[in-house]
Amino acid sequence: MVSTSLVLAGAVATGLLLLCSAFFSSSETAVFSLSPEWIDEQAATGDSRAMVLQELRDDPHRLLVTLLVGNNVVNIAISSILTVLISGYLSAGSAVATTTVITSFLILIFGEIVPKAYGLANAENWSLTIASPVRLVGRALSPLITLFDFITRRMNALISVDPDIEKPYTD
């Protein structure tokens, strides 16, 4: 049996992590739905948020890696926390199955679908709002992001993926 304080802490942590998942998902959709021309126009006005956004979009692959690394770390943490909590009440097999269903539901609704819809509906304002926090995450996770950026670029080169494959989605 899991203690009440552990369940409470796990629920709070899961809620905070779901907010982080929503942040990364909505940010990805918002930023990549904007035209480079709009970002350039906003940056030309001297808006510091737009200049950060432009800096992020200057390397769309690294930006995408940053958002995906952040989102996946958060989502895996959610699953891990819920597994610990649920395994205190159910057998191992049942705990895995139950955790998979609950985590999938929570992440799909609160960490993916609703946040992406929000990001798309509010792309311009939301992109400007999240630019600095995303840059901060990129700096904080820089070693990990650099590693994944390097590996994915090398793998893409090995399997003959055009290095500009993301261009239609980022221009």
Side-chain angles (χ1 to χ4, degrees):
M1 199 52 106
V2 180
S3 73
T4 305
S5 59
L6 185 61
V7 170
L8 182 59
V12 169
T14 298
L16 292 173
L17 289 168
L18 278 170
L19 288 173
C20 291
S21 182
F23 170 81
F24 288 117
S25 293
S26 63
S27 298
E28 177 188 350
T29 300
V31 172
F32 286 108
S33 70
L34 295 174
S35 73
E37 294 79 22
W38 184 87
I39 296 171
D40 292 342
E41 287 171 13
Q42 298 307 304
T45 68
D47 183 340
S48 61
R49 301 172 309 156
M51 292 170 17
V52 172
L53 181 59
Q54 186 178 45
E55 173 191 320
L56 292 171
R57 277 294 300 267
D58 282 346
D59 190 348
H61 185 265
R62 186 172 180 88
L63 173 59
L64 184 61
V65 169
T66 300
L67 294 169
L68 291 176
V69 165
N71 207 13
N72 278 281
V73 166
V74 164
N75 290 345
I76 290 167
I78 291 169
S79 182
S80 298
I81 290 168
L82 290 178
T83 299
V84 167
L85 295 177
I86 292 171
S87 67
Y89 296 96
L90 301 174
S91 67
S94 296
V96 168
T98 302
T99 300
T100 300
V101 170
I102 292 171
T103 303
S104 296
F105 176 82
L106 291 173
I107 290 173
L108 283 170
I109 298 297
F110 301 108
E112 292 292 332
I113 298 168
V114 171
K116 285 182 184 289
Y118 177 85
L120 190 57
N122 301 282
E124 292 174 356
N125 189 45
W126 187 238
S127 291
L128 294 172
T129 301
I130 58 84
S132 290
V134 168
R135 181 174 63 177
L136 181 64
V137 168
R139 288 179 178 166
L141 299 178
S142 183
L144 192 58
I145 290 164
T146 299
L147 174 67
F148 282 107
D149 187 31
F150 174 80
I151 290 170
T152 56
R153 287 181 196 269
R154 292 290 156 235
M155 288 183 72
N156 287 344
L158 286 173
I159 59 174
S160 301
V161 171
D162 180 356
D164 292 329
I165 191 72
E166 295 154 342
K167 213 149 194 63
Y169 303 102
T170 59
D171 282 346

